[in-house]
């Protein structure tokens, strides 16, 4: 792909491995509910419990991964968490649906899978500091190409065997671990200093790595870096639950094909790659700063949900998906880029905290929207999503106002 030409070989290798890993990880996303409901013959309530446990493990994993980055080192954290995740996935065929064992194993899979996320994002920010804004976006695109490939393969593999999907996911996780083991052994990763950077960019506060002089509690008091950013992410992902807990059952209840819901996510995957010129123009024109990109993304999400409220039809869902995808493309790279740019050695901790807060929205959003959908259908769910987008926008605006005068463009070189 020509857009990778400006990057060195080590970046291309990292992106290729990341794409394969995300493809393997996405094999499991569409299948967990079907596995519990179809293969194991459990209720949808039980399927929801499994998703809840995985999500709760993901929250804990994000927080733990960020806190452990400097305590045990990047190599041990990334490689260890990926291998433990692979072991959990490999164990699923041997559990053979035994319910008392399945629940804790799925919790641990969610935990170990998420532990590596803040570490990998922080590694990108440290290793490629001069181009971190660009690379966060390129990695985001590569991961979503992997998600599109993995999701497409998941149905085919499920027809063969659910166990094949679990083992395939485990193999990609183990492969990514060994890639990182080799990659980090060859890489001389220079830790960022806690001094002011040479070009004079001011910091919010001196960052204190976890484990020194108060550790995590000291870092948590520095709320300007993460609090309203994390709240904005929480509200955003809470509202985004509308797709699985509002749009999906509405499509089925209206007699539309289940494939039509899949087409929306196919559109999402295509746009994440094809709409890069459009989001680059938005960043150059009126959202040059990371905080501006977060606020503009919330506006796109709000417009998406208002389209759903006003139309309630499939063409409206298509337009809503376009708008929501543009919002996702702006916010997903901006959050880790902002933290990596401002937090120095404490970046892994804050990336984990912000990621954990965002994951909390994914946990509670489906539950609240499920109750609303059962009581009144799609429209009250869409209004709730719109309200969450407004709260997300306000949180991001407050976050930007609390960090005045310290922004630099995250689209250097464009």
């Amino acid at each position: 792909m020509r857009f990778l030409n400006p990057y060195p070989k080590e970046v291309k290798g990292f992106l290729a491995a990341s794409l394969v890993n995300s493809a393997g990880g996405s094999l499991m996303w569409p299948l967990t509910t079907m596995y519990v409901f179809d293969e194991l013959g459990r209720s949808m309530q039980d399927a929801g419990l499994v998703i809840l446990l995985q999500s709760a493990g993901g929250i804990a994993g994000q927080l733990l991964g960020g806190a452990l980055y400097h305590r045990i080192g990047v190599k041990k954290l990334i490689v260890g968490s990926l291998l433990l995740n692979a072991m959990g996935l490999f164990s699923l065929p041997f559990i053979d649906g035994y319910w008392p064992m399945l629940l804790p194993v799925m919790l641990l899979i969610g935990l170990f899978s998420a532990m590596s996320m803040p570490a990998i994002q922080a590694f990108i920010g440290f290793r490629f500091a001069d181009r971190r804004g660009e690379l966060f976006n390129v990695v985001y695109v590569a991961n979503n190409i992997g998600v599109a490939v993995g999701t497409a393969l998941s149905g085919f593999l499920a027809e063969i065997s659910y166990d094949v999907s679990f083992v395939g996911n485990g193999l990609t996780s183990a492969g990514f671990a060994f890639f990182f083991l080799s990659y980090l052994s060859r890489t001389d990763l220079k830790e960022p200093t806690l001094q002011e950077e040479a070009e004079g960019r001011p910091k919010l506060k001196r960052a204190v790595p976890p484990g020194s002089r108060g550790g995590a509690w000291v870092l948590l008091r520095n709320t300007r870096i993460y609090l309203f950013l994390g709240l904005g992410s929480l509200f955003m992902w809470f509202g985004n639950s509308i797709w699985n807990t509002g749009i999906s059952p509405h499509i089925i209840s209206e007699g539309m094909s289940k494939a039509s819901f899949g087409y929306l996510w196919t559109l999402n995957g295509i746009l994440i790659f094809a709409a890069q010129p459009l989001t680059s123009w938005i960043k150059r024109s009126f959202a040059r700063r990371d905080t501006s990109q977060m606020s503009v993304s919330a506006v796109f999400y709000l417009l998406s949900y208002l389209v759903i409220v006003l139309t309630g039809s499939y063409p409206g869902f298509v337009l809503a998906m376009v708008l929501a995808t543009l919002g996702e493309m702006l916010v997903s790279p901006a959050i880790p880029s902002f933290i990596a740019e401002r937090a120095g050695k404490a970046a892994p901790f804050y990336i984990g905290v912000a990621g954990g807060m965002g994951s909390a929205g994914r946990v509670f959003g489906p539950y609240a929207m499920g109750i609303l959908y059962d009581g009144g259908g799609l429209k009250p769910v869409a209004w709730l999503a719109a309200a969450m987008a407004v709260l997300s926008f306000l949180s991001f605006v407050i976050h930007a106002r609390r960090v005045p005068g310290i922004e630099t463009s995250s689209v250097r070189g464009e």
Side-chain angles (χ1 to χ4, degrees), residues 125-161:
F126 291 162
R127 176 63 179 165
F128 310 106
D130 57 331
R131 305 178 75 176
R132 59 166 66 97
E134 297 172 57
L135 283 172
F136 277 123
N137 188 64
V138 174
V139 170
Y140 165 73
V141 174
N143 283 341
N144 277 278
I145 293 173
V147 168
V149 172
T151 305
L153 288 173
S154 63
F156 171 74
L157 292 175
E159 289 293 331
I160 301 172
S161 168

Side-chain angles (χ1 to χ4, degrees), residues 62-64 66-67 71 205-228 230 343 346 348-357 402:
Q62 292 259 12
L63 297 173
L64 190 59
R71 289 182 181 272
K205 283 185 181 179
R206 179 178 289 267
V208 183
S212 64
R213 292 186 289 116
W217 295 114
V218 173
L219 291 171
L220 287 172
R221 290 203 297 269
N222 191 8
T223 58
R224 286 203 296 167
I225 293 180
Y226 73 90
L227 180 59
F228 284 96
F349 177 82
Y350 288 119
I351 289 173
V353 171
M357 293 176 73
R402 296 186 77 195

Side-chain angles (χ1 to χ4, degrees), residues 89-174:
L89 290 162
F90 290 147
S91 72
L92 289 175
F94 297 98
I95 292 173
D96 197 26
Y98 180 58
W99 189 248
M101 279 294 296
L102 180 66
L103 294 178
V105 168
M106 296 299 268
L107 173 67
L108 290 174
I109 288 173
L111 174 74
F112 295 133
S113 176
M115 275 181 65
S116 63
M117 293 178 186
I120 292 171
Q121 289 178 324
F123 171 80
I124 295 168
F126 291 162
R127 176 63 179 165
F128 310 106
D130 57 331
R131 305 178 75 176
R132 59 166 66 97
E134 297 172 57
L135 283 172
F136 277 123
N137 188 64
V138 174
V139 170
Y140 165 73
V141 174
N143 283 341
N144 277 278
I145 293 173
V147 168
V149 172
T151 305
L153 288 173
S154 63
F156 171 74
L157 292 175
E159 289 293 331
I160 301 172
S161 168
Y162 286 102
D163 290 344
V164 171
S165 297
F166 298 148
V167 171
N169 190 352
L171 287 173
T172 58
S173 184

Side-chain angles (χ1 to χ4, degrees), residues 49-387:
L49 176 61
V50 172
I51 298 295
L52 177 63
L53 287 173
Q54 277 187 281
S55 300
I59 295 173
Q62 292 259 12
L63 297 173
L64 190 59
L68 290 178
Y69 188 95
H70 291 292
R71 289 182 181 272
I72 66 175
V74 59
K75 184 188 294 186
K76 290 181 181 178
L77 177 57
I78 294 178
V79 174
S81 60
L82 288 170
L83 286 177
L84 288 169
N85 180 55
M87 290 172 61
L89 290 162
F90 290 147
S91 72
L92 289 175
F94 297 98
I95 292 173
D96 197 26
Y98 180 58
W99 189 248
M101 279 294 296
L102 180 66
L103 294 178
V105 168
M106 296 299 268
L107 173 67
L108 290 174
I109 288 173
L111 174 74
F112 295 133
S113 176
M115 275 181 65
S116 63
M117 293 178 186
I120 292 171
Q121 289 178 324
F123 171 80
I124 295 168
F126 291 162
R127 176 63 179 165
F128 310 106
D130 57 331
R131 305 178 75 176
R132 59 166 66 97
E134 297 172 57
L135 283 172
F136 277 123
N137 188 64
V138 174
V139 170
Y140 165 73
V141 174
N143 283 341
N144 277 278
I145 293 173
V147 168
V149 172
T151 305
L153 288 173
S154 63
F156 171 74
L157 292 175
E159 289 293 331
I160 301 172
S161 168
Y162 286 102
D163 290 344
V164 171
S165 297
F166 298 148
V167 171
N169 190 352
L171 287 173
T172 58
S173 184
F176 201 35
F178 286 114
F179 166 82
F180 254 107
L181 181 63
S182 172
Y183 184 83
L184 293 173
S185 297
R186 300 192 311 267
T187 299
D188 178 23
L189 178 59
K190 295 180 180 179
E191 294 280 4
T193 67
L194 299 181
Q195 307 297 323
E196 302 299 326
E197 295 184 3
E199 65 264 37
R201 287 197 299 270
K203 299 292 185 182
L204 291 175
K205 283 185 181 179
R206 179 178 289 267
V208 183
S212 64
R213 292 186 289 116
W217 295 114
V218 173
L219 291 171
L220 287 172
R221 290 203 297 269
N222 191 8
T223 58
R224 286 203 296 167
I225 293 180
Y226 73 90
L227 180 59
F228 284 96
L229 181 152
L231 286 173
S233 181
L234 186 156
F235 294 133
M236 179 169 286
W237 299 124
F238 188 113
N240 202 47
S241 301
I242 189 175
W243 294 101
N244 288 322
T245 326
I247 301 297
S248 176
H250 180 80
I251 284 176
I252 294 171
S253 65
E254 292 296 308
M256 292 181 251
S257 69
K258 295 177 183 177
S260 61
F261 182 65
Y263 296 150
L264 293 175
W265 289 107
T266 302
L267 175 63
N268 172 265
I270 292 171
L271 285 172
I272 285 172
F273 181 74
Q276 286 296 315
L278 176 57
T279 54
S280 294
W281 176 81
I282 292 172
K283 294 174 186 178
R284 288 195 304 268
S285 301
F286 55 88
R288 293 188 64 84
R289 300 181 298 180
D290 295 329
T291 51
S292 300
Q293 291 162 34
M294 298 175 205
S295 302
V296 172
S297 74
V299 173
F300 274 112
Y301 275 108
L302 175 60
L303 293 174
S304 171
Y305 304 143
L306 291 178
V307 167
I308 295 172
V309 169
L310 295 173
T311 64
S313 63
Y314 192 77
F317 300 158
V318 172
L319 176 58
M321 178 57 82
V322 171
L323 294 168
T325 302
L326 291 175
E328 177 189 345
M329 293 170 67
L330 289 170
V331 74
S332 291
I335 289 176
S337 178
F338 173 87
I339 295 174
E341 187 85 8
R342 307 309 186 287
K345 289 187 72 173
F349 177 82
Y350 288 119
I351 289 173
V353 171
M357 293 176 73
S359 295
R362 291 187 174 100
V363 172
F364 298 112
Y367 180 76
M369 290 186 174
I371 294 173
L372 274 181
Y373 187 88
D374 287 342
L378 179 61
K379 184 156 286 191
V381 173
W383 278 116
L384 176 60

